[in-house]
Amino acid sequence: MAHFWRLSCYFFVVIWVYSASIVISLPIDSDSTLLNTTEQNSGLLPRGWDEFCTLKKESGDKLKHYYCDIKKSDSGKWDFLELRDHINKKPVKYKFDIRCEPPANISVPWPLKARNLRHLKIETCELEHYLREYTQQSFINIPDELEYLHVVNSVVIIDIMDVLSIAMNISKLDKDFNCGHEETLRHFTFRNVSFAFGKSIENFLTSMFNNDTDSMSNEIINTGSEMVPKSRLISHKCIYQYLEYVDLSISNQTSKFHTELSTENSVFPALRVLNLSDTGRLSFAEAHRKWFRYYPKLEVMDLSYNFFTELEFDTAADVWDVPMLTMNISHNNISEFKVDKLEELVEMKKLFIDFSHNPLNCSCTEEARQLITYVNDPSKWLLPKYRRYNFMKDLECMYPKSIRGKRLADLKVEDLNCKLERLEKIAVEAVVFLSLLSVVLIIVIIILLKFRREIRILTYTRFNIVLPCQPIETFENKKFDAFVSYSNHDQDWVTSVFEDAASNNPLGNFKFCLHHKDFMPGKTIFDNVIDCVEASRHTVIVLSKHFLNSHYCMYEFHEAFQQSIYERKRHLLVIMMEDIPTNDLPNDLKRCLKTFTYIRKDDNIFIDRLVYALSYKGQKAMVTDSRCRSAAYSNQTSCETDITETGSDGNSSPISIMDRHNIFPDLINEKDIVSVKNEKNNFL
């Protein structure tokens, strides 16, 4: 049930804005002598009340002052409605001081309208039936008479159905119910008072929602969200023309919202004292900063024991015709006082603020240095306007620990240990910087490792930078840069990429051999294929399903593959036009794709990959790497080999040229290399 208890607080705040109309009572005089029972038993009280209510000695002929001690056994016997009916036509006025033995309860329905009742003080009681008269309206036509209402250390029991009913109809509240005794109230105290639904919440949950707590929560929240805008539709205002004292302290239910709403719908022309201490407030409401607009006679405002973090005030108060206000914001969470702000406050004539007992931060900051210099300036404290803020000298530092408890008047700027704090700050900043730098470096290394080949390709194609340890390539002065082997079904794409390459396209710098324009007439297709492959630095295979179905294309592939083996270099390049199931590939082509670089047509950097594979990148690595130098003389690849293994993602990883006989055991062996070379020479 704690969940709904918290939700109920929202309604209690708003209900209190309209129902709690402000009153206090005179303190109970424990030393006063009480009259005996026979003297008071003159029909002035309802029958049986003399068992727990006693007439005080100071009572006069026209004002009867009773003290009621409600024991547990008397719980429920003190009933306001019964009292109202009994004293309605009595020729005397009444004052009641009520003290309960917890958890004894009394019946006290708002708005406490009763003829002849002037004073009501309640302590340590449970107040039952608080909203009962909202539906009964039995207080109509009863004039305002209550001057003092004092409720402390008590619990108000509210029926959940009454709360929801008022929330839904708040714009239609009767003025008497809303404002209470606005014409007579002088003193109002509602200190350390909490609210509870009592057993009504259980009955409400069972009867209305079949114990579905989520549905009930939504209903309460929805009703509460509609309550605030509806409250602004109330057509009347509560004018408390005689109210001088309001105490709402020690309550987390009198929020900033409560203050703003109460000043919007109520007027306090005579209020002199406002106590909102220990109410859990986090910041100043507008009515606190601009009190001169809302409380024109206010002299004391107590906001101590809250959670304010800043010193706030409005200097415009000095131009208003209002008395000087003493504001208490001690025991809050203000840790910094700026000198320019203090100077503004000192100059104000209509406002004095007590900001002592706040957790002052005396760390090495410019504000702290200025504050210490300001407080220790003896010339200031001789002037009257500064003297009233003499307590600033006694402000004690809470932070740092090294000077905790020391008064500002006893400190010098040198005591702030600025050098040490600067070193600590530098050390912390250095650790943070190095930590961030380490994280960035780790991320960069991961990216470099994961995309190292793409980085090498892009730095070469986009910026013409050859990174260290590139594959060593022997320059070949051949007629073509690449012979393009493709199926006629792919001719349009091949033409657009290799034949129609514009001058500003990187591929425009290469010369490609295409069979439809470069095959020599009169020669057989097989002779042309052999000549074109040998006259080209590379052979580009445009691999598609149509390519696999062409005998001529497959012949061109085998010839290019043999040329790669013969030249002991990466001669063959494969462009994957589409996804082809592995089972549809011939065994030799399947092994080739696992060994040679292939490029996917839909790769985001397709052109860059192709340009990089076709380009002659020189032998720059030979200068610094001994492995590269020795490889240059033996005409072998090192650092990164020419033949690469490519995964399903299209990225390649190096495989040593010395492992070729292990990769293609069924296609060719080392003995075949010599025979292939001789056959080609004889054939030519």
Side-chain angles (χ1 to χ4, degrees):
M1 303 309 293
H3 174 65
F4 303 108
W5 199 282
R6 289 192 294 271
L7 288 174
S8 68
C9 290
Y10 178 83
F11 296 103
F12 296 151
V13 169
V14 181
I15 291 169
W16 180 241
V17 170
Y18 297 102
S19 62
S21 300
I22 5 282
V23 226
I24 193 177
S25 72
L26 296 175
I28 296 176
D29 187 0
S30 58
D31 297 330
S32 62
T33 308
L34 302 177
L35 297 177
N36 57 43
T37 338
T38 56
E39 291 177 322
Q40 63 169 312
N41 240 348
S42 55
L44 296 177
L45 290 178
R47 181 177 299 178
W49 281 37
D50 56 335
E51 296 178 3
F52 47 81
C53 290
T54 308
L55 184 65
K56 282 195 169 186
K57 184 177 180 180
E58 65 271 16
S59 298
D61 294 336
K62 295 184 179 181
L63 181 62
K64 301 299 180 183
H65 189 176
Y66 286 93
Y67 170 70
C68 299
D69 187 12
I70 311 298
K71 304 293 185 183
K72 291 181 182 179
S73 57
D74 300 320
S75 183
K77 293 181 180 180
W78 200 100
D79 190 328
F80 183 84
L81 297 184
E82 182 182 359
L83 175 67
R84 180 170 65 191
D85 293 339
H86 185 80
I87 68 174
N88 184 38
K89 295 184 180 180
K90 298 296 181 182
V92 296
K93 305 300 181 182
Y94 288 83
K95 293 176 62 175
F96 283 93
D97 291 347
I98 306 169
R99 186 186 297 272
C100 297
E101 178 185 6
N105 65 72
I106 59 177
S107 177
V108 183
W110 181 260
L112 301 173
K113 291 277 187 133
R115 292 182 185 272
N116 299 320
L117 180 62
R118 294 290 181 84
H119 173 114
L120 183 60
K121 181 177 182 179
I122 302 170
E123 294 185 10
T124 63
C125 295
E126 288 190 1
L127 280 59
E128 296 274 3
H129 312 128
Y130 193 71
L131 299 178
R132 179 169 64 179
E133 291 222 287
Y134 168 71
T135 56
Q136 296 178 357
Q137 299 285 307
S138 55
F139 55 85
I140 299 297
N141 298 324
I142 299 177
D144 296 347
E145 290 200 39
L146 194 63
E147 297 178 359
Y148 295 88
L149 177 60
H150 185 99
V151 182
V152 297
N153 305 327
S154 298
V155 178
V156 177
I157 307 298
I158 299 180
D159 191 291
I160 182 64
M161 292 302 296
D162 291 336
V163 171
L164 294 178
S165 179
I166 291 176
M168 291 185 290
N169 299 284
I170 193 168
S171 62
K172 302 177 182 179
L173 281 180
D174 182 84
K175 190 172 188 293
D176 278 347
F177 185 85
N178 186 12
C179 301
H181 299 262
E182 62 171 327
E183 297 180 0
T184 57
L185 279 171
R186 295 180 179 273
H187 198 126
F188 171 69
T189 297
F190 215 73
R191 184 173 65 246
N192 194 23
V193 176
S194 58
F195 296 87
F197 284 134
K199 295 182 180 179
S200 70
I201 191 71
E202 299 177 4
N203 298 332
F204 179 68
L205 179 60
T206 303
S207 61
M208 300 294 292
F209 297 95
N210 195 24
N211 290 319
D212 185 352
T213 56
D214 292 335
S215 298
M216 177 181 168
S217 299
N218 293 334
E219 175 70 16
I220 293 177
I221 292 172
N222 292 336
T223 304
S225 63
E226 299 174 0
M227 196 171 184
V228 175
K230 285 182 178 181
S231 68
R232 305 187 188 280
L233 301 177
I234 295 176
S235 58
H236 58 265
K237 280 187 176 291
C238 302
I239 303 176
Y240 299 99
Q241 52 186 330
Y242 298 111
L243 181 61
E244 296 182 351
Y245 182 96
V246 173
D247 183 355
L248 300 175
S249 60
I250 318 179
S251 173
N252 290 329
Q253 294 159 4
T254 54
S255 62
K256 176 181 177 181
F257 164 77
H258 169 276
T259 300
E260 293 176 346
L261 197 56
S262 64
T263 53
E264 182 176 319
N265 291 279
S266 304
V267 179
F268 305 92
L271 188 63
R272 294 188 302 105
V273 178
L274 177 60
N275 186 352
L276 296 172
S277 62
D278 199 5
T279 51
R281 296 167 187 267
L282 301 176
S283 60
F284 283 83
E286 182 182 4
H288 302 152
R289 289 181 286 105
K290 302 181 182 296
W291 87 95
F292 43 88
R293 294 184 177 180
Y294 301 96
Y295 311 112
K297 299 295 182 182
L298 194 63
E299 298 176 4
V300 176
M301 182 187 296
D302 191 348
L303 295 170
S304 60
Y305 293 95
N306 282 293
F307 300 98
F308 300 152
T309 57
E310 293 184 16
L311 177 63
E312 297 184 47
F313 54 87
D314 192 333
T315 56
D318 276 350
V319 301
W320 287 67
D321 184 18
V322 293
M324 190 187 79
L325 173 69
T326 298
M327 181 184 293
N328 182 3
I329 58 171
S330 63
H331 299 281
N332 274 270
N333 287 340
I334 305 174
S335 60
E336 180 181 278
F337 296 102
K338 295 182 178 180
V339 170
D340 55 349
K341 197 77 171 176
L342 294 176
E343 277 294 333
E344 290 182 1
L345 181 59
V346 168
E347 294 295 333
M348 290 190 66
K349 299 178 181 179
K350 298 294 179 70
L351 177 64
F352 169 77
I353 300 180
D354 178 5
F355 48 83
S356 60
H357 302 289
N358 275 277
L360 188 60
N361 188 349
C362 298
S363 299
C364 183
T365 62
E366 184 61 29
E367 288 76 13
R369 291 195 293 270
Q370 290 180 4
L371 181 61
I372 291 176
T373 303
Y374 180 79
V375 169
N376 287 281
D377 183 357
S379 62
K380 294 184 180 297
W381 306 107
L382 298 176
L383 302 175
K385 63 181 181 180
Y386 287 98
R387 267 188 230 133
R388 57 180 182 161
Y389 287 98
N390 200 57
F391 67 85
M392 278 197 285
K393 297 180 180 180
D394 297 323
L395 292 178
E396 295 182 353
C397 297
M398 178 63 68
Y399 308 102
K401 290 183 179 180
S402 58
I403 55 176
R404 177 174 295 177
K406 289 191 176 182
R407 298 166 60 244
L408 286 182
D410 299 332
L411 285 177
K412 296 181 180 179
V413 174
E414 293 77 14
D415 297 328
L416 298 183
N417 297 323
C418 290
K419 292 183 179 179
L420 180 60
E421 291 194 17
R422 286 198 188 99
L423 291 176
E424 292 177 351
K425 184 178 180 181
I426 293 173
V428 171
E429 291 176 349
V431 171
V432 172
F433 173 77
L434 292 176
S435 300
L436 292 175
L437 181 61
S438 300
V439 172
V440 172
L441 288 176
I442 291 173
I443 294 174
V444 170
I445 291 172
I446 292 174
I447 293 174
L448 290 175
L449 291 176
K450 182 175 177 63
F451 301 102
R452 59 187 181 278
R453 182 169 181 80
E454 285 75 9
I455 293 173
R456 180 176 293 150
I457 291 172
L458 292 175
T459 53
Y460 178 77
T461 59
R462 303 292 175 88
F463 307 106
N464 199 28
I465 297 175
V466 180
L467 296 179
C469 271
Q470 291 281 13
I472 296 175
E473 301 177 11
T474 303
F475 178 75
E476 299 174 286
N477 188 15
K478 292 192 175 185
K479 182 178 180 180
F480 300 104
D481 290 293
F483 167 60
V484 183
S485 175
Y486 60 94
S487 167
N488 288 331
H489 292 85
D490 302 317
Q491 182 168 341
D492 291 342
W493 182 85
V494 170
T495 301
S496 65
V497 173
F498 295 98
E499 189 173 0
D500 298 339
S503 58
N504 59 348
N505 188 315
L507 290 177
N509 299 321
F510 297 97
K511 186 175 183 180
F512 297 103
C513 177
L514 304 174
H515 64 71
H516 66 271
K517 68 181 184 68
D518 292 311
F519 274 16
M520 295 292 296
K523 286 187 177 182
T524 66
I525 293 177
F526 301 104
D527 290 341
N528 271 299
V529 168
I530 294 173
D531 292 343
C532 288
V533 168
E534 292 185 344
S536 303
R537 293 176 53 240
H538 298 279
T539 296
V540 177
I541 302 296
V542 181
L543 183 59
S544 65
K545 291 180 180 179
H546 300 297
F547 185 94
L548 297 176
N549 295 328
S550 171
H551 294 291
Y552 293 110
C553 290
M554 292 304 297
Y555 175 78
E556 292 173 356
F557 159 70
H558 285 292
E559 180 61 27
F561 176 70
Q562 291 182 12
Q563 187 70 15
S564 292
I565 300 301
Y566 170 71
E567 295 181 355
R568 298 174 65 85
K569 64 182 288 293
R570 185 182 62 184
H571 180 87
L572 190 63
L573 300 174
V574 179
I575 297 176
M576 294 288 293
M577 297 292 290
E578 57 189 328
D579 291 329
I580 302 175
T582 306
N583 295 334
D584 295 345
L585 295 173
N587 289 333
D588 50 357
L589 186 55
K590 191 185 304 182
R591 291 169 180 166
C592 179
L593 291 178
K594 291 181 179 180
T595 306
F596 289 91
T597 299
Y598 71 85
I599 307 171
R600 299 184 64 88
K601 172 189 172 183
D602 56 359
D603 195 311
N604 291 331
I605 56 171
F606 166 76
I607 296 296
D608 294 279
R609 289 187 185 276
L610 188 57
V611 169
Y612 183 80
L614 294 173
S615 298
Y616 171 74
K617 293 172 280 296
Q619 302 178 11
K620 295 184 179 182
M622 293 176 60
V623 178
T624 57
D625 195 315
S626 59
R627 293 185 296 111
C628 296
R629 288 198 299 270
S630 61
Y633 295 107
S634 62
N635 223 10
Q636 296 177 0
T637 57
S638 63
C639 303
E640 178 178 335
T641 60
D642 287 329
I643 296 180
T644 55
E645 180 179 5
T646 306
S648 59
D649 59 353
N651 296 325
S652 304
S653 58
I655 294 181
S656 172
I657 189 69
M658 302 305 294
D659 295 332
R660 287 180 178 175
H661 66 282
N662 295 325
I663 298 172
F664 304 108
D666 298 330
L667 289 177
I668 193 167
N669 54 44
E670 293 181 356
K671 295 179 180 180
D672 294 331
I673 295 177
V674 177
S675 62
V676 169
K677 183 176 181 180
N678 293 333
E679 289 178 6
K680 293 177 72 66
N681 291 332
N682 294 333
F683 183 79
L684 295 174

